[in-house]
Amino acid sequence: MTSAAVLIIAATLDYFIGDPWGWPHPVRVMGWAISRFTKFSITYCQNSLTQRLAGIVLGIILIIGSGFIGYLLIQRARLLHPFLGVALESILLASCFAFQSLRRAAETVLQPLTTGHIVDARSTLSHYVGRDTENLTELEILRAVLETVTENATDGVMAPLFYAILGAFIPVIGPTTLALAYKASSTLDSMVGYREKPYTYLGWFSARLEDCLTWIPCRLTVMTLALLSGKPLYIWQICRRDAVCDPSPNSGWSECAYAAILGVQVGGTNWYRGVAKHKPLLGDAIHPITPNCIYQALQLTRYCFLLWLGVAVVLLLSN
């Protein structure tokens, strides 16, 4: 009963409030710890072996530590009052969901773009993507926003929910502990999980681990989206055709599923610090990418989230 209530409250908080600007957030604490450890490791670990070992230590400590600290805080709050425990657990879990943040990010780019202020749209987009944005056309901006929305739908929304549901069915653990641990893994990947220097060796463990942790929720998300589309076999065929060509074992599948449902094509050439990088084309360009496509993608993510949440709550309450 308590786990079901926590899931519902957390989902409600994320949808209506999201992450208020300036408020304390677990990801900021994680980011601070990663930044400090990274600077220390780069300074004192001078070869590939020691940097790899440092990356393993960083990943294990941050992921397990994040879940354990969250668990301890929740237990301490419960000792003070059961309702305080539920409130804290719900708030911490809501911080693991990024649907509202994802929607706001998309809207802050689309708003100036749809009113003809493309320079402002490029500038705003640069806060959310790693690619060069200075010379992007309107169509390229729309593609970038759609790719960001559809990639992060898995690791920012559905995967945290997956681990929250998994934890809810494990006695004592609860939904928030595993969700915080996954969030730590995702944060590590976004900060140090790169092949470029200085993270080539330091971030390899975090990148591989995040890929493994996201693999199952990504496939379940794709299957859920395919069912929601009403044409599951077609969506799966497109993903089997295109997603396997993407170097990422997860983001390509997530982006391809949405592209197939919307009848658009993502991927192509992006520029990073003046260097061109080509990503495989995903989906068929039946329709052009429009702002409405992005809002449809967000709506699909919401339906997928609510479906998983509803099934989990029903199963929890029936036990």
Side-chain angles (χ1 to χ4, degrees):
M1 179 72 74
T2 301
S3 292
V6 168
L7 285 170
I8 294 171
I9 295 170
T12 304
L13 288 174
D14 176 62
Y15 184 77
F16 288 104
I17 300 176
D19 298 323
W21 182 257
W23 280 37
H25 196 288
V27 171
R28 294 194 184 97
V29 179
M30 295 173 191
W32 177 86
I34 294 168
S35 179
R36 291 291 179 132
F37 190 93
T38 298
K39 290 178 181 178
F40 176 85
S41 300
I42 291 174
T43 301
Y44 294 101
C45 300
Q46 300 295 328
N47 58 63
S48 61
L49 177 59
T50 54
Q51 287 191 4
R52 285 179 183 273
L53 291 174
I56 294 174
V57 171
L58 172 62
I60 292 175
I61 290 178
L62 190 78
I63 293 169
I64 295 178
S66 296
F68 185 65
I69 291 172
Y71 175 80
L72 289 180
L73 290 173
I74 293 165
Q75 295 306 311
R76 178 59 61 88
R78 284 178 176 171
L79 289 175
L80 296 174
H81 197 284
F83 287 121
L84 182 60
V86 171
L88 178 61
E89 187 170 11
S90 300
I91 292 170
L92 287 174
L93 181 56
S95 72
C96 296
F97 300 147
F99 179 78
Q100 182 66 272
S101 299
L102 200 57
R103 184 172 65 180
R104 286 176 180 169
E107 289 174 345
T108 57
V109 178
L110 292 177
Q111 195 278 328
L113 185 66
T114 53
T115 55
H117 298 87
I118 191 169
V119 175
D120 292 338
R122 290 169 180 160
S123 177
T124 304
L125 179 64
S126 68
H127 298 300
Y128 302 112
V129 299
R131 71 191 71 179
D132 299 339
T133 62
E134 295 86 356
N135 301 309
L136 294 183
T137 65
E138 180 178 344
L139 291 177
E140 288 172 330
I141 292 173
L142 289 170
R143 176 168 69 85
V145 174
L146 182 61
E147 288 172 352
T148 300
V149 165
T150 56
E151 177 183 352
N152 287 284
T154 294
D155 56 19
V157 181
M158 299 308 300
L161 177 61
F162 171 82
Y163 284 101
I165 293 171
L166 183 62
F169 284 95
I170 301 176
V172 182
I173 296 298
T176 304
T177 301
L178 292 188
L180 282 171
Y182 176 80
K183 199 68 177 180
S185 172
S186 179
T187 305
L188 276 165
D189 183 56
S190 65
M191 291 185 68
V192 299
Y194 299 99
R195 296 180 180 179
E196 294 81 11
K197 293 182 178 180
Y199 307 116
T200 306
Y201 303 110
L202 183 66
W204 73 275
F205 178 78
S206 298
R208 301 297 184 278
L209 183 59
E210 199 273 344
D211 285 342
C212 292
L213 292 176
T214 308
W215 198 92
I216 292 177
C218 177
R219 269 61 185 178
L220 291 176
T221 299
V222 170
M223 288 189 283
T224 305
L225 290 168
L227 291 172
L228 288 173
S229 72
K231 43 186 179 181
L233 292 179
Y234 170 76
I235 304 303
W236 189 254
Q237 287 171 353
I238 297 296
C239 288
R240 289 282 297 171
R241 184 193 72 186
D242 297 342
V244 293
C245 301
D246 195 281
S248 169
N250 298 309
S251 63
W253 280 82
S254 184
E255 292 177 28
C256 189
Y258 283 93
I261 294 171
L262 298 171
V264 300
Q265 188 175 75
V266 296
T269 302
N270 300 323
W271 292 82
Y272 299 86
R273 299 177 184 176
V275 178
K277 183 178 180 181
H278 183 77
K279 291 190 66 177
L281 297 175
L282 307 174
D284 296 320
I286 301 171
H287 309 292
I289 299 174
T290 64
N292 187 53
C293 290
I294 295 165
Y295 287 115
Q296 284 181 308
L298 288 166
Q299 192 78 313
L300 282 168
T301 303
R302 183 185 173 213
Y303 290 153
C304 190
F305 183 93
L306 290 175
L307 179 60
W308 284 21
L309 178 67
V311 171
V313 169
V314 168
L315 291 176
L316 287 167
L317 293 178
S318 63
N319 286 340

